[in-house]
Amino acid sequence: MIDVGKRHTHDMCNTRIYGIWNSMKSRCSDIKDKHHYKRYFGRGITVCDEWKSDFMSFYNWAINNGYSDELELDRIDNDGNYEPSNCQWITHKENNNKRGNNRIIEVFGETHTLTEWADKYGISVDTLASRLTRGWNIERALTEPIRNSGKRMWRTNKGA
């Protein structure tokens, strides 16, 4: 006999936090998910038993540890599992700056990602990356004023 009453005891299946919980479990268990396999399941990243089997346990931890709809779940140690001692809530920007494919740059005695440097100097990431790709040194790329891109506005004499 199946205990249907125990199946959904929280009425939160359509919430953002439930989706985060479900996605976390899926990334760590679906061997057919080629996108996530190498980064999670294939590296042995798991979800702790407490969270894997009990959404409300995850929910209570999340609420007591700063969850809000503007934040994302993050593993503090990228090689560690999803468990209370290794997880935190951070902004999208903070999460992106932790990615393994970030370009780390040291200049002026500081070390930051390309994105952090662009933010700090008020230029777009695309502009900074383009300057570096064209061979500019980092100091010049960060400090040289942005000029007109060289695009010309053409006037037409229609109706004149």
Side-chain angles (χ1 to χ4, degrees):
M1 183 171 165
I2 298 173
D3 184 4
V4 177
K6 188 159 181 155
R7 189 165 175 219
H8 294 290
T9 58
H10 48 71
D11 292 329
M12 298 186 73
C13 292
N14 294 320
T15 63
R16 180 177 182 271
I17 194 167
Y18 186 84
I20 291 169
W21 175 74
N22 216 17
S23 293
M24 168 187 67
K25 292 191 322 166
S26 176
R27 284 192 297 272
C28 297
S29 64
D30 188 353
I31 63 172
K32 295 177 185 173
D33 182 347
K34 292 178 182 169
H35 176 71
H36 291 117
Y37 179 82
K38 283 204 260 183
R39 294 171 51 209
Y40 296 92
F41 186 82
R43 290 179 47 221
I45 306 298
T46 63
V47 178
C48 67
D49 291 338
E50 176 186 355
W51 287 356
K52 188 186 314 182
S53 60
D54 185 3
F55 167 71
M56 288 309 295
S57 176
F58 174 77
Y59 176 84
N60 289 328
W61 170 86
I63 296 304
N64 290 324
N65 286 276
Y67 170 81
S68 77
D69 284 341
E70 297 78 36
L71 300 177
E72 299 177 356
L73 182 63
D74 171 62
R75 283 176 295 125
I76 297 165
D77 173 5
N78 197 42
D79 294 323
N81 296 324
Y82 283 101
E83 56 193 30
S85 63
N86 192 43
C87 289
Q88 63 184 345
W89 296 101
I90 62 176
T91 66
H92 181 70
K93 185 174 183 179
E94 290 169 323
N95 210 2
N96 278 344
N97 279 326
K98 288 183 69 176
R99 293 178 65 124
N101 62 351
N102 275 331
R103 189 168 179 181
I104 307 296
I105 299 170
E106 184 177 345
V107 67
F108 308 128
E110 296 180 45
T111 302
H112 298 289
T113 65
L114 185 79
T115 301
E116 289 169 329
W117 281 116
D119 284 348
K120 186 171 181 153
Y121 279 81
I123 62 176
S124 78
V125 174
D126 290 341
T127 297
L128 181 55
S130 173
R131 286 176 169 186
L132 294 172
T133 299
R134 289 182 283 156
W136 291 28
N137 68 44
I138 186 63
E139 294 90 351
R140 179 181 173 212
L142 288 169
T143 59
E144 187 157 317
I146 297 171
R147 296 190 184 143
N148 184 337
S149 65
K151 294 179 184 173
R152 300 183 81 175
M153 299 297 291
W154 298 98
R155 284 192 232 182
T156 61
N157 290 329
K158 290 183 182 176

